[in-house]
Amino acid sequence: MKVGIELLELAGATAARSIFVVGTGRNVGKTTVVRALYAAAYNAGLRTAMASLNPKHRLWLRPGTFFVTARGALARSPATTIHALSKLQSPAGALLYARVASTGLYELIGPSTASGVHEVVERLHSQSELAIIDGAVDRVAALSGSEGAVIVACGAAASATLQEEVDEIAALVGRLQMPMFDDSAAFVDVRGALTASQIATFLAAREARQIVVRDPTQLALTGKAATQALERLKIRCRRPLRVIAATIASHGPERSFEPQNFARAVAAATGLPAYDVFAGARAA
């Protein structure tokens, strides 16, 4: 199975112009997912743009690909065409936009602020048919309310047991898939993050109205705490996200999970198509 192609088709079915890959932790296969998506998009002839919000992310890119990086990270070789300099900063310095002229290994570096991510996404859209972004959960709000899709990666490196990691991705997906609020029904508007103490207050008051936040990242809870809050309260958002798939990395530095069982458990817990990108398989 060509997992990259199938993931690309899922995104295409939603008319997504951006695909944001996030994970439950480090070393859960995000880069492998990004590479598979990029290969599928490039081979399909799509004008593709690439970005990473992680430091020192290196990818093998082919001619015509548009990307963002820090000015100091752009090597003289392989050849690139600089498109524009940005006022945005990263931990590695000022950012710029460029297009690949010669195939090679490129270092991708993204902005250090959420507002910077919005600008980068807009610039990538202006120069491509599809932007693929190796992201971070706290920055995924840049896609909310836009033509974007989210893929969530999980893996054995992020949790001590298979069930713990399944619970973690189920909670993350549940949070990211927070429904849009209904403005015809009663609601309480929350400015900023919805914290654990606020949730405790709402629960004690047996709040039955919608509790509305700007976007899913404003729920300041993770894991089972987030799952329980979403089950017990009507937490809604103004700018929803679209999560289209989950992926697994069954091997980590310290432990491994049985791949097929892991993929099936993730699919069942999230209600999403679940893929083992390393094995090129979808959960049966």
Side-chain angles (χ1 to χ4, degrees):
M1 170 188 284
K2 299 292 185 180
V3 171
I5 295 174
E6 195 156 328
L7 290 172
L8 195 64
E9 289 174 347
L10 288 174
T14 68
R17 294 194 60 209
S18 300
I19 304 175
F20 212 94
V21 183
V22 301
T24 57
R26 295 175 60 85
N27 301 316
V28 294
K30 284 200 305 169
T31 300
T32 301
V33 176
V34 167
R35 287 173 178 156
L37 284 167
Y38 173 62
Y42 191 90
N43 291 336
L46 294 176
R47 292 187 297 113
T48 307
M50 304 293 293
S52 175
L53 305 184
N54 298 301
K56 296 184 178 180
H57 189 143
R58 305 184 79 192
L59 286 176
W60 192 265
L61 301 181
R62 292 189 264 181
T65 303
F66 191 76
F67 68 99
V68 60
T69 191
R71 189 171 185 176
L74 190 64
R76 293 185 178 182
S77 179
T80 56
T81 301
I82 296 176
H83 185 271
L85 300 178
S86 173
K87 294 181 180 180
L88 294 175
Q89 295 290 321
S90 76
L95 297 183
L96 60 77
Y97 300 96
R99 194 176 298 279
V100 175
S102 299
T103 299
L105 197 61
Y106 292 82
E107 188 170 338
L108 305 185
I109 296 175
S112 55
T113 64
S115 60
V117 178
H118 281 281
E119 178 182 313
V120 166
V121 170
E122 289 179 1
R123 181 59 67 96
L124 298 184
H125 282 174
S126 73
Q127 297 295 320
S128 69
E129 295 172 277
L130 178 69
I132 301 170
I133 302 158
D134 184 344
V137 172
D138 61 346
R139 305 287 174 80
V140 75
L143 293 185
S144 60
S146 72
E147 299 173 342
V150 181
I151 295 172
V152 181
C154 67
S159 297
T161 69
L162 186 153
Q163 190 56 54
E164 284 181 13
E165 185 61 0
V166 169
D167 290 343
E168 188 64 32
I169 191 172
L172 177 55
V173 169
R175 180 159 62 104
L176 294 179
Q177 289 184 320
M178 185 184 297
M180 187 170 183
F181 86 111
D182 178 2
D183 61 4
S184 68
F187 66 90
V188 180
D189 206 9
V190 176
R191 303 294 181 182
L194 178 59
T195 64
S197 61
Q198 288 174 305
I199 287 172
T201 300
F202 284 129
L203 288 171
R206 298 185 178 181
E207 181 60 67
R209 293 172 294 175
Q210 299 174 100
I211 300 168
V212 180
V213 294
R214 184 190 65 203
D215 62 70
T217 67
Q218 295 301 299
L219 176 58
L221 294 176
T222 60
K224 288 186 177 180
T227 300
Q228 291 171 355
L230 290 166
E231 289 174 347
R232 298 176 66 184
L233 295 168
K234 295 178 182 177
I235 303 174
R236 303 292 187 265
C237 68
R238 294 181 178 274
R239 299 167 60 188
L241 294 163
R242 290 182 289 186
V243 185
I244 61 170
T247 66
I248 68 159
S250 58
H251 298 288
E254 298 179 2
R255 69 191 68 86
S256 296
F257 301 151
E258 199 288 316
Q260 294 183 2
N261 289 340
F262 189 19
R264 283 195 292 265
V266 167
T270 63
L272 295 170
Y275 297 87
D276 183 339
V277 182
F278 296 88
R282 176 175 174 171

